[in-house]
Amino acid sequence: MRSQGVLEDKLVLLNGVSGAFRPGVLTALMGVTGAGKTTLMDVLAGRKTGGYITGNITISGYPKKQETFARISGYCEQNDIHSPHITVYESLLYSAWLRLPEEINTETRKVFVEEVMELVELNPLRDAYVGLPGINGLSTEQRKRLTIAVELVGNPSIIFMDEPTSGLDARAAAIVMRAVRNIADTGRTIVCTIHQPSIDIFESFDEVNKSKSS
């Protein structure tokens, strides 16, 4: 970068960012490619480990502590990575065993998994094998809903989603956003980065925050 005339020691990606996310509200982070949408969301979620971060993040008015924040938040990555050799139900049950507190008994875990499957509309696929992307098993849209459900069985209060409609056609994107809307209606806080949404997807959000790289 110095050879291209950049003399500063630090490159500022985002500056002067402020905002608030509320329970039950579906919020979109929008901006052009490279504007810093995912960077901002990674910082908020505590997943950005490199670089320099300044400023304050509060949860219900209290300073954010990553150790406890990780227990009440979920993060759905843009890439849907799942074990191809197990079913949808087994994927969620495995996630529930890993994420829910140990004092929760087996029956309660199974009931919660069933509720999540109903919420994300995965019941028709409960016995379907996940399979390999583009080869067999679930479609791209179904994998996206499974990714969301895997995070949801941990019972997070806040869920971050990195471009949940990326790579989907209009119909598939609408199905995913319907599931996301159902989750927001349960009172959870949902924050999504979104890129070039259709008007239907755009209007499904309650609030829109624009990200602009400095």
Side-chain angles (χ1 to χ4, degrees):
M1 292 180 64
R2 290 187 182 279
S3 65
Q4 298 179 20
V6 179
L7 303 179
E8 292 82 2
D9 291 330
K10 299 178 183 178
L11 177 64
V12 179
L13 297 180
L14 292 166
N15 188 32
V17 177
S18 63
F21 307 113
R22 295 175 292 156
V25 175
L26 183 52
T27 306
L29 294 178
M30 288 190 65
V32 299
T33 300
K37 302 184 296 297
T38 300
T39 297
L40 174 59
M41 197 165 69
D42 285 347
V43 169
L44 295 174
R47 295 170 63 95
K48 186 62 70 178
T49 56
Y52 301 88
I53 301 172
T54 59
N56 300 309
I57 302 175
T58 59
I59 309 295
S60 299
Y62 295 93
K64 173 192 167 192
K65 294 183 179 180
Q66 186 59 34
E67 294 79 8
T68 54
F69 182 76
R71 300 176 185 174
I72 65 165
S73 64
Y75 192 106
C76 300
E77 296 187 8
Q78 190 171 342
N79 297 323
D80 306 307
I81 302 174
H82 303 285
S83 176
H85 305 299
I86 59 178
T87 66
V88 168
Y89 177 75
E90 290 168 340
S91 297
L92 298 183
L93 195 61
Y94 181 63
S95 180
W97 274 100
L98 290 177
R99 294 166 183 261
L100 292 174
E102 60 182 10
E103 59 266 20
I104 297 179
N105 61 43
T106 300
E107 289 306 314
T108 304
R109 291 172 194 262
K110 290 182 178 180
V111 169
F112 192 65
V113 167
E114 294 291 345
E115 291 179 352
V116 168
M117 291 183 67
E118 182 72 26
L119 189 64
V120 191
E121 302 177 5
L122 283 175
N123 268 329
L125 300 169
R126 65 180 296 122
D127 296 322
Y129 283 97
V130 175
L132 296 171
I135 300 176
N136 56 21
L138 304 182
S139 67
T140 304
E141 167 263 315
Q142 291 166 344
R143 287 175 184 278
K144 184 64 65 178
R145 284 190 286 141
L146 178 59
T147 297
I148 295 171
V150 163
E151 292 297 321
L152 196 57
V153 293
N155 199 23
S157 301
I158 305 169
I159 303 179
F160 299 95
M161 299 183 186
D162 190 10
E163 299 196 19
T165 60
S166 179
L168 303 179
D169 59 28
R171 177 182 174 278
I175 294 173
V176 170
M177 288 309 302
R178 185 172 66 205
V180 174
R181 177 78 262 172
N182 291 342
I183 297 169
D185 290 342
T186 64
R188 292 177 170 88
T189 302
I190 311 291
V191 183
C192 299
T193 60
I194 204 79
H195 180 65
Q196 294 180 338
S198 66
I199 186 62
D200 293 331
I201 300 301
F202 181 81
E203 290 180 344
S204 67
F205 288 93
D206 300 310
E207 294 183 350
V208 177
N209 292 317
K210 295 180 181 178
S211 176
K212 185 178 180 181
S213 181
S214 53

